[in-house]
Amino acid sequence: MMFAAIAAVALAIGIVNAFSGAQDAAWRGDSYDIGRRLFWEMSSIAVILLLLPFLVLAVRRMRRTQGLAAQAAIGAIVLLGFSTLHITGMVWVRKLALWLAGGAYDFRFSLATVLYEFRKDAVAVVLIGATIWLLESRRELKSAAAASSAPPAPPHPSSPDLIWLRDGTSRIRVVPRDILWVASAGNYIEYSLADGTQHLIRGTLAAAESELARFSIVRVHRTKLANLDRVRGVDLKPSGDFELAFDNGQTLGGSRRYRPAVASLGSRTAAAGSAPGDP
């Protein structure tokens, strides 16, 4: 888009200059000759457009450079290099085109001619460079706005069959199937695993309940969660409380308030007991 915008403006200026130059020549008594003047302008613009990536890189380098003096030095080098390449390229394009047409082109090289072209190049570099600078600033502002409004991506997405227990800089990978129960312990929650290991992690039981519900780890007490897939027996008390027996022999007490959470365990344990090969 930037290239197209600059090309459109350059072409418009070149066409206007060609018609103005032809009209000025006609007023002086010379021939109108609009075709020749369009060729001079278009050959110059073609070389300028070919050098546009050079200007883009130069502007980006200046934007990354600290200090006005350093930026001015880069600008001066860019201006000299651009003018040299533009004049050289323009002359050879005209020589080649006229040679193919059976004619010849004489640049009439002299200090006055070079200064004349250099003045025009200086104006072109300043205008194009300022346009690129503004477009780059706009692009960076849009990128920064998009980055600030985008939701932060999770740094380490977990596998559906794994969870990460995080405590500050410490991280422990756990298979949900290995969790027997989770209990609240003040500002911490305690994970008890089937192999007897326990992990004390800073957090809340409500957050753990939300994360683990999809693994059939549900609340059975105000301060406890239990993995229903590891339960092999339920002892219902007359008070309405209950006790869960896990498949590794451990037990965990539950509150009558959460008795509906284990209401389906009768069918679960019966199915597990009749499954062939089940210990």
Side-chain angles (χ1 to χ4, degrees):
M1 184 178 64
M2 176 175 61
F3 182 86
I6 294 176
V9 173
L11 287 172
I13 293 174
I15 293 172
V16 171
N17 287 342
F19 278 95
S20 297
Q23 186 63 59
D24 289 341
W27 285 338
R28 292 194 305 267
D30 296 333
S31 62
Y32 191 73
D33 199 6
I34 184 61
R36 181 172 60 88
R37 293 187 179 276
L38 279 173
F39 172 66
W40 298 154
E41 294 291 339
M42 294 303 108
S43 60
S44 174
I45 290 172
V47 177
I48 289 176
L49 294 181
L50 289 175
L51 293 175
L52 188 57
F54 168 72
L55 291 178
V56 173
L57 294 176
V59 169
R60 290 177 177 174
R61 178 61 182 271
M62 289 178 66
R63 290 174 60 85
R64 293 194 302 267
T65 302
Q66 300 295 325
L68 184 60
Q71 290 180 342
I74 294 175
I77 295 173
V78 169
L79 175 57
L80 291 174
F82 176 89
S83 184
T84 301
L85 293 174
H86 174 237
I87 294 172
T88 304
M90 175 185 67
V91 169
W92 282 104
V93 166
R94 293 174 181 178
K95 283 181 175 292
L96 177 60
L98 290 177
W99 176 75
L100 292 175
Y105 174 72
D106 182 12
F107 179 61
R108 298 178 183 177
F109 181 83
S110 67
L111 180 60
T113 305
V114 171
L115 290 177
Y116 172 78
E117 295 293 341
F118 179 80
R119 287 197 303 269
K120 294 194 296 182
D121 287 341
V123 174
V125 167
V126 170
L127 293 177
I128 296 175
T131 302
I132 296 172
W133 189 291
L134 292 175
L135 291 175
E136 288 289 308
S137 298
R138 182 173 178 269
R139 181 180 62 84
E140 290 179 2
L141 288 175
K142 289 179 65 176
S143 299
S148 62
S149 62
H156 295 283
S158 299
S159 165
D161 300 324
L162 296 172
I163 63 171
W164 286 89
L165 305 182
R166 296 178 176 86
D167 185 18
T169 58
S170 300
R171 296 178 181 178
I172 304 168
R173 188 173 67 175
V174 174
V175 179
R177 168 73 183 171
D178 293 341
I179 299 174
L180 290 184
W181 49 264
V182 184
S184 175
N187 294 329
Y188 293 83
I189 47 177
E190 181 181 5
Y191 289 78
S192 179
L193 305 186
D195 61 2
T197 59
Q198 294 180 332
H199 299 290
L200 198 62
I201 304 297
R202 182 179 293 274
T204 65
L205 193 65
E209 180 183 16
S210 176
E211 180 182 7
L212 299 174
R214 57 196 174 107
F215 301 113
S216 297
I217 301 177
V218 301
R219 192 181 292 259
V220 296
H221 188 274
R222 183 175 60 84
T223 61
K224 301 173 187 175
L225 309 176
N227 189 345
L228 300 186
D229 287 341
R230 302 299 297 258
V231 173
R232 288 296 177 265
V234 184
D235 184 11
L236 302 177
K237 308 293 184 181
S239 63
D241 294 341
F242 54 91
E243 186 176 75
L244 303 176
F246 295 103
D247 54 9
N248 69 340
Q250 293 189 34
T251 60
L252 181 72
S255 170
R256 60 182 178 181
R257 177 182 175 185
Y258 300 96
R259 189 164 173 171
V262 298
S264 63
L265 281 178
S267 59
R268 286 179 179 230
T269 53
S274 61
D278 191 43

